[in-house]
PDB file of all heavy atoms in Angstrom:
ATOM      1  N   ALA A   1       0.882  -1.185  -0.001  1.00 90.00           N
ATOM      2  CA  ALA A   1      -0.056  -0.015   0.005  1.00 90.00           C
ATOM      3  C   ALA A   1       0.866   1.243   0.016  1.00 90.00           C
ATOM      4  O   ALA A   1       0.491   2.272  -0.556  1.00 90.00           O
ATOM      5  CB  ALA A   1      -0.904  -0.016   1.245  1.00 90.00           C
ATOM      6  N   ALA A   2       2.003   1.245   0.603  1.00 91.00           N
ATOM      7  CA  ALA A   2       2.957   2.359   0.656  1.00 91.00           C
ATOM      8  C   ALA A   2       3.446   2.633  -0.784  1.00 91.00           C
ATOM      9  O   ALA A   2       3.604   3.815  -1.129  1.00 91.00           O
ATOM     10  CB  ALA A   2       4.156   2.062   1.501  1.00 91.00           C
ATOM     11  N   TYR A   3       3.581   1.608  -1.607  1.00 91.00           N
ATOM     12  CA  TYR A   3       4.081   1.792  -2.934  1.00 91.00           C
ATOM     13  C   TYR A   3       2.948   2.507  -3.804  1.00 91.00           C
ATOM     14  O   TYR A   3       3.269   3.356  -4.641  1.00 91.00           O
ATOM     15  CB  TYR A   3       4.533   0.508  -3.618  1.00 91.00           C
ATOM     16  CG  TYR A   3       5.751  -0.043  -2.999  1.00 91.00           C
ATOM     17  CD1 TYR A   3       5.663  -1.163  -2.176  1.00 91.00           C
ATOM     18  CD2 TYR A   3       7.021   0.528  -3.196  1.00 91.00           C
ATOM     19  CE1 TYR A   3       6.863  -1.787  -1.618  1.00 91.00           C
ATOM     20  CE2 TYR A   3       8.177  -0.061  -2.631  1.00 91.00           C
ATOM     21  CZ  TYR A   3       8.024  -1.173  -1.809  1.00 91.00           C
ATOM     22  OH  TYR A   3       9.178  -1.678  -1.263  1.00 91.00           O
ATOM     23  N   LEU A   4       1.778   2.178  -3.573  1.00 92.00           N
ATOM     24  CA  LEU A   4       0.620   2.693  -4.318  1.00 92.00           C
ATOM     25  C   LEU A   4       0.564   4.243  -4.042  1.00 92.00           C
ATOM     26  O   LEU A   4       0.371   5.049  -4.885  1.00 92.00           O
ATOM     27  CB  LEU A   4      -0.665   1.999  -3.956  1.00 92.00           C
ATOM     28  CG  LEU A   4      -0.880   0.570  -4.461  1.00 92.00           C
ATOM     29  CD1 LEU A   4      -2.233  -0.033  -3.908  1.00 92.00           C
ATOM     30  CD2 LEU A   4      -0.844   0.555  -6.010  1.00 92.00           C
ATOM     31  N   ILE A   5       0.612   4.570  -2.700  1.00 93.00           N
ATOM     32  CA  ILE A   5       0.589   5.996  -2.347  1.00 93.00           C
ATOM     33  C   ILE A   5       1.751   6.704  -2.853  1.00 93.00           C
ATOM     34  O   ILE A   5       1.674   7.882  -3.329  1.00 93.00           O
ATOM     35  CB  ILE A   5       0.436   6.089  -0.804  1.00 93.00           C
ATOM     36  CG1 ILE A   5      -0.899   5.541  -0.366  1.00 93.00           C
ATOM     37  CG2 ILE A   5       0.547   7.556  -0.413  1.00 93.00           C
ATOM     38  CD1 ILE A   5      -1.064   5.447   1.126  1.00 93.00           C
ATOM     39  N   ALA A   6       2.923   6.034  -2.873  1.00 94.00           N
ATOM     40  CA  ALA A   6       4.131   6.717  -3.440  1.00 94.00           C
ATOM     41  C   ALA A   6       3.988   6.918  -4.934  1.00 94.00           C
ATOM     42  O   ALA A   6       4.442   7.965  -5.403  1.00 94.00           O
ATOM     43  CB  ALA A   6       5.341   5.816  -3.167  1.00 94.00           C
ATOM     44  N   THR A   7       3.209   6.073  -5.662  1.00 94.00           N
ATOM     45  CA  THR A   7       3.045   6.244  -7.067  1.00 94.00           C
ATOM     46  C   THR A   7       2.028   7.570  -7.286  1.00 94.00           C
ATOM     47  O   THR A   7       2.274   8.314  -8.188  1.00 94.00           O
ATOM     48  CB  THR A   7       2.265   5.099  -7.623  1.00 94.00           C
ATOM     49  OG1 THR A   7       3.092   3.968  -7.409  1.00 94.00           O
ATOM     50  CG2 THR A   7       1.965   5.248  -9.092  1.00 94.00           C
ATOM     51  N   VAL A   8       1.089   7.694  -6.336  1.00 95.00           N
ATOM     52  CA  VAL A   8       0.290   8.980  -6.420  1.00 95.00           C
ATOM     53  C   VAL A   8       1.192  10.156  -6.188  1.00 95.00           C
ATOM     54  O   VAL A   8       1.054  11.146  -7.017  1.00 95.00           O
ATOM     55  CB  VAL A   8      -0.724   8.905  -5.347  1.00 95.00           C
ATOM     56  CG1 VAL A   8      -1.533  10.314  -5.226  1.00 95.00           C
ATOM     57  CG2 VAL A   8      -1.753   7.827  -5.583  1.00 95.00           C
ATOM     58  N   GLU A   9       2.105  10.128  -5.356  1.00 94.00           N
ATOM     59  CA  GLU A   9       3.024  11.243  -5.090  1.00 94.00           C
ATOM     60  C   GLU A   9       3.952  11.416  -6.313  1.00 94.00           C
ATOM     61  O   GLU A   9       4.232  12.562  -6.679  1.00 94.00           O
ATOM     62  CB  GLU A   9       3.878  10.933  -3.796  1.00 94.00           C
ATOM     63  CG  GLU A   9       4.907  12.019  -3.565  1.00 94.00           C
ATOM     64  CD  GLU A   9       4.395  13.369  -2.996  1.00 94.00           C
ATOM     65  OE1 GLU A   9       3.169  13.610  -3.131  1.00 94.00           O
ATOM     66  OE2 GLU A   9       5.137  14.136  -2.444  1.00 94.00           O
ATOM     67  N   LEU A  10       4.384  10.351  -6.933  1.00 95.00           N
ATOM     68  CA  LEU A  10       5.253  10.393  -8.103  1.00 95.00           C
ATOM     69  C   LEU A  10       4.538  11.255  -9.152  1.00 95.00           C
ATOM     70  O   LEU A  10       5.093  12.146  -9.831  1.00 95.00           O
ATOM     71  CB  LEU A  10       5.579   9.109  -8.611  1.00 95.00           C
ATOM     72  CG  LEU A  10       6.492   8.982  -9.861  1.00 95.00           C
ATOM     73  CD1 LEU A  10       7.276   7.608  -9.776  1.00 95.00           C
ATOM     74  CD2 LEU A  10       5.788   9.031 -11.190  1.00 95.00           C
ATOM     75  N   ALA A  11       3.196  10.910  -9.422  1.00 95.00           N
ATOM     76  CA  ALA A  11       2.386  11.632 -10.494  1.00 95.00           C
ATOM     77  C   ALA A  11       2.240  13.048 -10.109  1.00 95.00           C
ATOM     78  O   ALA A  11       2.317  14.020 -10.962  1.00 95.00           O
ATOM     79  CB  ALA A  11       1.045  10.905 -10.654  1.00 95.00           C
ATOM     80  N   GLU A  12       1.986  13.295  -8.841  1.00 95.00           N
ATOM     81  CA  GLU A  12       1.706  14.694  -8.334  1.00 95.00           C
ATOM     82  C   GLU A  12       2.953  15.545  -8.464  1.00 95.00           C
ATOM     83  O   GLU A  12       2.977  16.728  -8.920  1.00 95.00           O
ATOM     84  CB  GLU A  12       1.213  14.731  -6.966  1.00 95.00           C
ATOM     85  CG  GLU A  12       0.655  16.089  -6.458  1.00 95.00           C
ATOM     86  CD  GLU A  12       1.754  16.941  -5.869  1.00 95.00           C
ATOM     87  OE1 GLU A  12       2.756  16.364  -5.493  1.00 95.00           O
ATOM     88  OE2 GLU A  12       1.560  18.166  -5.741  1.00 95.00           O
ATOM     89  N   ARG A  13       4.137  14.924  -8.130  1.00 94.00           N
ATOM     90  CA  ARG A  13       5.394  15.677  -8.184  1.00 94.00           C
ATOM     91  C   ARG A  13       5.849  15.856  -9.633  1.00 94.00           C
ATOM     92  O   ARG A  13       6.491  16.840 -10.003  1.00 94.00           O
ATOM     93  CB  ARG A  13       6.416  14.929  -7.416  1.00 94.00           C
ATOM     94  CG  ARG A  13       6.331  15.006  -5.943  1.00 94.00           C
ATOM     95  CD  ARG A  13       6.461  16.350  -5.324  1.00 94.00           C
ATOM     96  NE  ARG A  13       5.278  17.151  -5.213  1.00 94.00           N
ATOM     97  CZ  ARG A  13       5.222  18.412  -4.821  1.00 94.00           C
ATOM     98  NH1 ARG A  13       6.340  18.959  -4.292  1.00 94.00           N
ATOM     99  NH2 ARG A  13       4.030  18.989  -4.691  1.00 94.00           N
ATOM    100  N   PHE A  14       5.503  14.885 -10.522  1.00 94.00           N
ATOM    101  CA  PHE A  14       5.679  15.094 -11.948  1.00 94.00           C
ATOM    102  C   PHE A  14       5.106  16.339 -12.410  1.00 94.00           C
ATOM    103  O   PHE A  14       5.665  17.156 -13.108  1.00 94.00           O
ATOM    104  CB  PHE A  14       5.215  13.868 -12.732  1.00 94.00           C
ATOM    105  CG  PHE A  14       5.452  13.961 -14.233  1.00 94.00           C
ATOM    106  CD1 PHE A  14       6.466  13.187 -14.892  1.00 94.00           C
ATOM    107  CD2 PHE A  14       4.671  14.762 -15.013  1.00 94.00           C
ATOM    108  CE1 PHE A  14       6.592  13.284 -16.220  1.00 94.00           C
ATOM    109  CE2 PHE A  14       4.825  14.880 -16.389  1.00 94.00           C
ATOM    110  CZ  PHE A  14       5.807  14.109 -17.000  1.00 94.00           C
ATOM    111  N   SER A  15       3.808  16.461 -12.042  1.00 95.00           N
ATOM    112  CA  SER A  15       2.963  17.639 -12.467  1.00 95.00           C
ATOM    113  C   SER A  15       3.438  18.923 -11.857  1.00 95.00           C
ATOM    114  O   SER A  15       3.533  19.982 -12.538  1.00 95.00           O
ATOM    115  CB  SER A  15       1.514  17.321 -12.255  1.00 95.00           C
ATOM    116  OG  SER A  15       1.319  17.324 -10.827  1.00 95.00           O
ATOM    117  N   PHE A  16       3.840  18.895 -10.574  1.00 94.00           N
ATOM    118  CA  PHE A  16       4.243  20.053  -9.851  1.00 94.00           C
ATOM    119  C   PHE A  16       5.490  20.582 -10.386  1.00 94.00           C
ATOM    120  O   PHE A  16       5.697  21.725 -10.750  1.00 94.00           O
ATOM    121  CB  PHE A  16       4.321  19.692  -8.343  1.00 94.00           C
ATOM    122  CG  PHE A  16       4.746  20.937  -7.551  1.00 94.00           C
ATOM    123  CD1 PHE A  16       3.813  21.799  -7.036  1.00 94.00           C
ATOM    124  CD2 PHE A  16       6.092  21.136  -7.168  1.00 94.00           C
ATOM    125  CE1 PHE A  16       4.258  22.900  -6.237  1.00 94.00           C
ATOM    126  CE2 PHE A  16       6.474  22.199  -6.428  1.00 94.00           C
ATOM    127  CZ  PHE A  16       5.608  23.072  -5.938  1.00 94.00           C
ATOM    128  N   TYR A  17       6.551  19.692 -10.382  1.00 90.00           N
ATOM    129  CA  TYR A  17       7.917  20.120 -10.836  1.00 90.00           C
ATOM    130  C   TYR A  17       7.974  20.290 -12.264  1.00 90.00           C
ATOM    131  O   TYR A  17       8.708  21.179 -12.821  1.00 90.00           O
ATOM    132  CB  TYR A  17       8.975  19.214 -10.326  1.00 90.00           C
ATOM    133  CG  TYR A  17       9.310  19.382  -8.879  1.00 90.00           C
ATOM    134  CD1 TYR A  17       8.834  18.378  -7.922  1.00 90.00           C
ATOM    135  CD2 TYR A  17       9.975  20.404  -8.432  1.00 90.00           C
ATOM    136  CE1 TYR A  17       9.162  18.508  -6.556  1.00 90.00           C
ATOM    137  CE2 TYR A  17      10.182  20.565  -7.010  1.00 90.00           C
ATOM    138  CZ  TYR A  17       9.761  19.608  -6.108  1.00 90.00           C
ATOM    139  OH  TYR A  17      10.090  19.760  -4.854  1.00 90.00           O
ATOM    140  N   GLY A  18       7.221  19.471 -13.107  1.00 91.00           N
ATOM    141  CA  GLY A  18       7.263  19.648 -14.506  1.00 91.00           C
ATOM    142  C   GLY A  18       6.710  20.953 -14.919  1.00 91.00           C
ATOM    143  O   GLY A  18       7.184  21.575 -15.931  1.00 91.00           O
ATOM    144  N   SER A  19       5.703  21.442 -14.159  1.00 92.00           N
ATOM    145  CA  SER A  19       5.190  22.786 -14.522  1.00 92.00           C
ATOM    146  C   SER A  19       6.034  23.846 -13.945  1.00 92.00           C
ATOM    147  O   SER A  19       6.437  24.824 -14.741  1.00 92.00           O
ATOM    148  CB  SER A  19       3.700  22.959 -13.859  1.00 92.00           C
ATOM    149  OG  SER A  19       2.871  21.996 -14.405  1.00 92.00           O
ATOM    150  N   SER A  20       6.409  23.765 -12.727  1.00 90.00           N
ATOM    151  CA  SER A  20       7.160  24.850 -12.055  1.00 90.00           C
ATOM    152  C   SER A  20       8.568  25.056 -12.591  1.00 90.00           C
ATOM    153  O   SER A  20       9.176  26.150 -12.414  1.00 90.00           O
ATOM    154  CB  SER A  20       7.133  24.708 -10.591  1.00 90.00           C
ATOM    155  OG  SER A  20       7.887  23.499 -10.245  1.00 90.00           O
ATOM    156  N   VAL A  21       9.191  24.022 -13.164  1.00 84.00           N
ATOM    157  CA  VAL A  21      10.587  24.130 -13.633  1.00 84.00           C
ATOM    158  C   VAL A  21      10.643  25.235 -14.754  1.00 84.00           C
ATOM    159  O   VAL A  21      11.774  25.751 -14.988  1.00 84.00           O
ATOM    160  CB  VAL A  21      11.153  22.821 -14.171  1.00 84.00           C
ATOM    161  CG1 VAL A  21      10.542  22.357 -15.416  1.00 84.00           C
ATOM    162  CG2 VAL A  21      12.617  22.834 -14.308  1.00 84.00           C
ATOM    163  N   VAL A  22       9.654  25.472 -15.474  1.00 89.00           N
ATOM    164  CA  VAL A  22       9.671  26.409 -16.572  1.00 89.00           C
ATOM    165  C   VAL A  22       9.049  27.760 -16.132  1.00 89.00           C
ATOM    166  O   VAL A  22       8.977  28.719 -16.949  1.00 89.00           O
ATOM    167  CB  VAL A  22       8.892  25.902 -17.780  1.00 89.00           C
ATOM    168  CG1 VAL A  22       9.548  24.622 -18.341  1.00 89.00           C
ATOM    169  CG2 VAL A  22       7.427  25.638 -17.544  1.00 89.00           C
ATOM    170  N   PHE A  23       8.670  27.921 -14.889  1.00 91.00           N
ATOM    171  CA  PHE A  23       8.077  29.221 -14.403  1.00 91.00           C
ATOM    172  C   PHE A  23       9.052  30.332 -14.594  1.00 91.00           C
ATOM    173  O   PHE A  23       8.719  31.471 -14.868  1.00 91.00           O
ATOM    174  CB  PHE A  23       7.598  29.095 -12.933  1.00 91.00           C
ATOM    175  CG  PHE A  23       6.311  28.328 -12.747  1.00 91.00           C
ATOM    176  CD1 PHE A  23       5.866  28.037 -11.431  1.00 91.00           C
ATOM    177  CD2 PHE A  23       5.547  27.915 -13.815  1.00 91.00           C
ATOM    178  CE1 PHE A  23       4.705  27.486 -11.264  1.00 91.00           C
ATOM    179  CE2 PHE A  23       4.364  27.268 -13.637  1.00 91.00           C
ATOM    180  CZ  PHE A  23       3.909  26.988 -12.288  1.00 91.00           C
ATOM    181  N   THR A  24      10.385  30.063 -14.192  1.00 86.00           N
ATOM    182  CA  THR A  24      11.426  31.129 -14.232  1.00 86.00           C
ATOM    183  C   THR A  24      11.481  31.801 -15.639  1.00 86.00           C
ATOM    184  O   THR A  24      11.450  33.024 -15.768  1.00 86.00           O
ATOM    185  CB  THR A  24      12.803  30.638 -13.794  1.00 86.00           C
ATOM    186  OG1 THR A  24      12.676  30.180 -12.386  1.00 86.00           O
ATOM    187  CG2 THR A  24      13.791  31.730 -13.783  1.00 86.00           C
ATOM    188  N   ASN A  25      11.641  30.899 -16.618  1.00 87.00           N
ATOM    189  CA  ASN A  25      11.711  31.404 -18.044  1.00 87.00           C
ATOM    190  C   ASN A  25      10.387  32.111 -18.448  1.00 87.00           C
ATOM    191  O   ASN A  25      10.389  33.053 -19.092  1.00 87.00           O
ATOM    192  CB  ASN A  25      12.141  30.309 -18.971  1.00 87.00           C
ATOM    193  CG  ASN A  25      13.566  30.045 -18.972  1.00 87.00           C
ATOM    194  OD1 ASN A  25      14.371  30.694 -18.309  1.00 87.00           O
ATOM    195  ND2 ASN A  25      13.923  28.925 -19.680  1.00 87.00           N
ATOM    196  N   PHE A  26       9.260  31.463 -18.061  1.00 90.00           N
ATOM    197  CA  PHE A  26       7.965  31.952 -18.423  1.00 90.00           C
ATOM    198  C   PHE A  26       7.838  33.457 -17.924  1.00 90.00           C
ATOM    199  O   PHE A  26       7.315  34.346 -18.659  1.00 90.00           O
ATOM    200  CB  PHE A  26       6.892  31.052 -17.872  1.00 90.00           C
ATOM    201  CG  PHE A  26       5.447  31.353 -18.296  1.00 90.00           C
ATOM    202  CD1 PHE A  26       4.911  31.018 -19.547  1.00 90.00           C
ATOM    203  CD2 PHE A  26       4.609  32.150 -17.469  1.00 90.00           C
ATOM    204  CE1 PHE A  26       3.706  31.314 -19.966  1.00 90.00           C
ATOM    205  CE2 PHE A  26       3.324  32.513 -17.862  1.00 90.00           C
ATOM    206  CZ  PHE A  26       2.875  32.028 -19.174  1.00 90.00           C
ATOM    207  N   ILE A  27       8.205  33.608 -16.673  1.00 90.00           N
ATOM    208  CA  ILE A  27       8.044  34.943 -16.083  1.00 90.00           C
ATOM    209  C   ILE A  27       9.112  35.908 -16.547  1.00 90.00           C
ATOM    210  O   ILE A  27       8.839  37.113 -16.901  1.00 90.00           O
ATOM    211  CB  ILE A  27       7.969  34.894 -14.519  1.00 90.00           C
ATOM    212  CG1 ILE A  27       6.851  33.926 -14.063  1.00 90.00           C
ATOM    213  CG2 ILE A  27       7.819  36.255 -13.848  1.00 90.00           C
ATOM    214  CD1 ILE A  27       6.976  33.544 -12.636  1.00 90.00           C
ATOM    215  N   GLN A  28      10.366  35.475 -16.429  1.00 87.00           N
ATOM    216  CA  GLN A  28      11.533  36.379 -16.601  1.00 87.00           C
ATOM    217  C   GLN A  28      11.768  36.808 -17.990  1.00 87.00           C
ATOM    218  O   GLN A  28      12.022  38.004 -18.302  1.00 87.00           O
ATOM    219  CB  GLN A  28      12.809  35.732 -16.071  1.00 87.00           C
ATOM    220  CG  GLN A  28      14.030  36.563 -16.183  1.00 87.00           C
ATOM    221  CD  GLN A  28      15.284  35.938 -15.597  1.00 87.00           C
ATOM    222  OE1 GLN A  28      15.135  34.948 -14.790  1.00 87.00           O
ATOM    223  NE2 GLN A  28      16.438  36.391 -15.948  1.00 87.00           N
ATOM    224  N   GLN A  29      11.759  35.891 -18.955  1.00 86.00           N
ATOM    225  CA  GLN A  29      12.231  36.069 -20.287  1.00 86.00           C
ATOM    226  C   GLN A  29      11.130  36.582 -21.171  1.00 86.00           C
ATOM    227  O   GLN A  29       9.923  36.185 -21.002  1.00 86.00           O
ATOM    228  CB  GLN A  29      12.840  34.871 -20.921  1.00 86.00           C
ATOM    229  CG  GLN A  29      13.943  34.171 -20.039  1.00 86.00           C
ATOM    230  CD  GLN A  29      15.148  34.985 -19.930  1.00 86.00           C
ATOM    231  OE1 GLN A  29      15.342  35.977 -20.662  1.00 86.00           O
ATOM    232  NE2 GLN A  29      16.022  34.726 -18.972  1.00 86.00           N
ATOM    233  N   PRO A  30      11.353  37.491 -22.117  1.00 86.00           N
ATOM    234  CA  PRO A  30      10.394  37.993 -23.076  1.00 86.00           C
ATOM    235  C   PRO A  30      10.015  36.907 -24.133  1.00 86.00           C
ATOM    236  O   PRO A  30      10.774  36.014 -24.357  1.00 86.00           O
ATOM    237  CB  PRO A  30      10.970  39.178 -23.744  1.00 86.00           C
ATOM    238  CG  PRO A  30      12.475  38.922 -23.660  1.00 86.00           C
ATOM    239  CD  PRO A  30      12.711  38.069 -22.357  1.00 86.00           C
ATOM    240  N   LEU A  31       8.815  37.081 -24.676  1.00 86.00           N
ATOM    241  CA  LEU A  31       8.410  36.152 -25.756  1.00 86.00           C
ATOM    242  C   LEU A  31       9.361  36.314 -26.940  1.00 86.00           C
ATOM    243  O   LEU A  31       9.624  37.426 -27.473  1.00 86.00           O
ATOM    244  CB  LEU A  31       7.055  36.594 -26.213  1.00 86.00           C
ATOM    245  CG  LEU A  31       6.184  35.587 -27.163  1.00 86.00           C
ATOM    246  CD1 LEU A  31       5.890  34.312 -26.301  1.00 86.00           C
ATOM    247  CD2 LEU A  31       4.935  36.271 -27.688  1.00 86.00           C
TER     248      LEU A  31
END
């Protein structure tokens, strides 16, 4: 059961860091 919950966290962290890793360029750099 711990592995199942860890899989949920894996998907959530994929989405969290996958999105936020490009925030710096999205905000700082011009189009």
Side-chain angles (χ1 to χ4, degrees):
Y3 293 108
L4 290 175
I5 295 172
T7 301
V8 173
E9 176 72 346
L10 183 152
E12 192 274 340
R13 290 292 91 180
F14 180 105
S15 66
F16 179 87
Y17 284 109
S19 299
S20 61
V21 72
V22 299
F23 282 174
T24 297
N25 281 352
F26 186 84
I27 301 166
Q28 177 180 345
Q29 307 295 342
L31 192 69

